[in-house]
Amino acid sequence: MLGLMMDMPLTVTSIMGHVERVHGGTGIVSVTHDQPRHRCTYADAFRRARQLASALAAFGIRNGDRVGTLAWNDYRHFELYYAISCMGAVTHTINPRLFPEQIAWIVNDARDRVLFVDPLVLPIVESVRPQLQHVETIVVLSDAAHMPAVAHAGALCYEGFIAAQPEAFSWPDLEEQTACTLCYTSGTTGNPRGVLYSHRSQVLHSLFSCAVDALALSARDVVMPVVPMFHVNAWGLAYSAPLVGAKLVFPGPKAGDGETLQNLMDTEQVTFSAGVPTVWLALLAYLRRTGKRIDSLQRVVIGGAACPWSVMEEFERDHGVHVHHAWGMTEMSPLGTVNHPIRGTETLAPDEQKARRMKQGRAMFGVEMKVVDDSGAELPWDGRSAGLLKVRGPTVCAGYFQETGPVEAHAEPGWFATGDVAHIDADGYLQITDRAKDVIKSGGEWISSIDLENAAMEHPAVAEAAVIAVPHPTWTERPLLILVLRERCALTREEMLAFLRERVAKWWLPDDVVFVTQIPHTATGKILKTKLRKLYTDYKLHDDEEGKVSGCPPGQ
Ligand code: AMP
């Protein structure tokens, strides 16, 4: 027997309609290349989205066509999100920090017909313009007065593109499984792969992620997505924040600038923000240097890479900001787990609380997880048994864009193999110990590079830490610790090793410590371990007193 409830499709258009009716007067504040502080409301943005959809329809964009964006977080990018997807086309967000050749490859693979490009990114796009096989026009996200000189003759200006268009546009009735947004994975090995979200998956992800034990967003919040809109829809915030009526504050091209972030947080009374660990280093350093405050900020969700305790501690101790660790991936829309305490844990000893807080959290509703061993057998949730993490759910990708052959990640039908190594405890808290390809295998046992990095980051002189495996004649691989020190701090290799000796098993101790001025990052701000491994392939481990620690067999 079927239920007797109305069958209304879950589409981003339905989010837009709701926001317009209920939260139309709520504001969006943006920093853009042409305006230091642009202000509009959701009603304004959706009115302009209708003009934009009219312009795209007049241009000939049809159902399923891909329209690319190379843009920062701002109101124009927000308009693009809604106009393109709700007219039935696909919003293809592209990371402007990729190499020009990677951008060209992705644009060609997606067959983007139009590209909307921020003026600051335009030189990169212009440099590969002859290689773009399907792009018919480039629209620069600017008004006429600020059009950059580098724009080629045919490039259009965004404000001119939409200006004369009607404010009325009849949004089509879309099926909820209609493709909505396309985002390519980072592709640290091989070519990037397209993850094609549906309207339904975006709506469900927004609903799941607004839950109190997830992002806990509400109409009382002022949300500043520091995580870029070109990377998995700013973790869904471009949909979830409007959905609940939160005010949005977009830092535009200034997301990496501590001064702008502090200023926006303070003047706009931001209560919630989210981003990868590295983006917070600039803000925290700025606050330390200037003594400036971020008093309105209540919560920050940090994920995308393991969040060091030092970042959590500094936010909380110095600024009263609660940090929630989260885990997810492009293929999961992206949120999988968020860390919140559960009933009865308030009385745990501080060390136990800390150990729990460092974990990546518990699964949101809609995300099912399991950890399996090499033979595929499921491992118990005991907080120890580590194996390959698999997930499934309505916001998890079932296949990659335009890939028809078997996908390794889907080797077990109905499950997506994340490529992460993890364990889950009896309360359901997930702990990622490594990316499968980053695991250090020493004497047949795994050493967690993330645990070692976290331990090193606890030292007050350390700004950033990365651990990679280097080949070793006896133990196959041994860990090498690479450190960036904080400004005006000094630390020796021996001091670091002594510090770690108190914190990790003896056989985990890195065989060497290297000090560098910077660690390479991916275009989404994660440590680029492939590059580090390449840089240190021929690294000769020390053979002195500390180096001999590598002769220590696993388990001792
Ligand atoms: P991406 O698809 O580029 O967002 O990358 C997803 C990958 O980032 C995951 O599979 C993990 O390896 C890693 N990741 C995301 N969040 C965390 C976290 N909180 N701790 C450790 N690794 C993470």
Side-chain angles (χ1 to χ4, degrees), residues 5 23 40 44 48 53 142 180 298 311 329 407 440 455 509 534 552:
M5 307 308 281
H23 311 299
C40 64
D44 296 330
R48 281 164 52 89
S142 176
C180 177
Q298 298 163 1
V311 172
M329 52 196 311
V407 175
I440 302 162
L509 270 190
K534 232 181 243 160
C552 175

Side-chain angles (χ1 to χ4, degrees), residues 479-499:
L480 172 69
L481 172 61
I482 301 160
L483 293 180
V484 179
L485 295 185
R486 287 189 184 206
E487 278 172 31
R488 293 185 290 280
C489 285
L491 184 71
T492 65
R493 168 181 180 273
E494 285 64 35
E495 284 164 347
M496 185 76 238
L497 291 173
F499 181 81

Side-chain angles (χ1 to χ4, degrees), residues 185-186 231-232 302-307 325-331 334 360 418 420 432 434-435 450 524 526:
T185 57
S186 323
H231 187 57
V232 216
I302 301 185
C307 180
H325 198 189
W327 164 84
M329 52 196 311
T330 309
E331 287 90 337
Q360 278 74 4
T418 61
D420 285 336
I432 305 283
D434 254 312
R435 200 69 201 140
I450 293 183
T524 51
K526 302 177 194 202

Side-chain angles (χ1 to χ4, degrees), residues 11-77:
T11 58
V12 168
T13 324
S14 68
I15 296 186
M16 182 167 57
H18 172 76
V19 178
E20 224 170 358
R21 283 187 301 274
V22 181
H23 311 299
T26 302
I28 304 175
V29 180
S30 312
V31 175
T32 64
H33 81 105
D34 52 351
Q35 290 159 96
R37 206 58 68 90
H38 176 273
R39 288 175 193 282
C40 64
T41 63
Y42 285 128
D44 296 330
F46 294 136
R47 181 175 40 75
R48 281 164 52 89
R50 286 194 292 274
Q51 290 182 285
L52 174 56
S54 304
L56 285 168
F59 183 84
I61 293 297
R62 299 282 169 261
N63 265 4
D65 283 350
R66 270 79 67 201
V67 176
T69 67
L70 285 127
W72 311 114
N73 293 6
D74 66 28
Y75 69 103
R76 292 189 181 112
H77 206 177

Side-chain angles (χ1 to χ4, degrees), residues 120-150:
L120 298 172
V121 185
L122 197 59
I124 302 172
V125 177
E126 291 291 359
S127 75
V128 290
R129 182 72 183 91
Q131 295 170 42
L132 306 180
Q133 293 158 7
H134 311 282
V135 172
E136 295 159 45
T137 198
I138 288 176
V139 184
V140 184
L141 293 164
S142 176
D143 57 17
H146 295 87
M147 276 295 275
V150 61

Side-chain angles (χ1 to χ4, degrees), residues 441-488:
K441 206 141 196 201
S442 184
E445 298 282 332
W446 284 354
I447 294 177
S448 161
S449 65
I450 293 183
D451 283 356
L452 271 178
E453 286 157 9
N454 282 339
M457 287 291 292
E458 300 222 352
H459 195 289
V462 174
E464 205 171 7
V467 173
I468 55 164
V470 287
H472 188 281
T474 316
W475 305 111
T476 319
E477 289 177 345
R478 290 295 303 162
L480 172 69
L481 172 61
I482 301 160
L483 293 180
V484 179
L485 295 185
R486 287 189 184 206
E487 278 172 31
R488 293 185 290 280

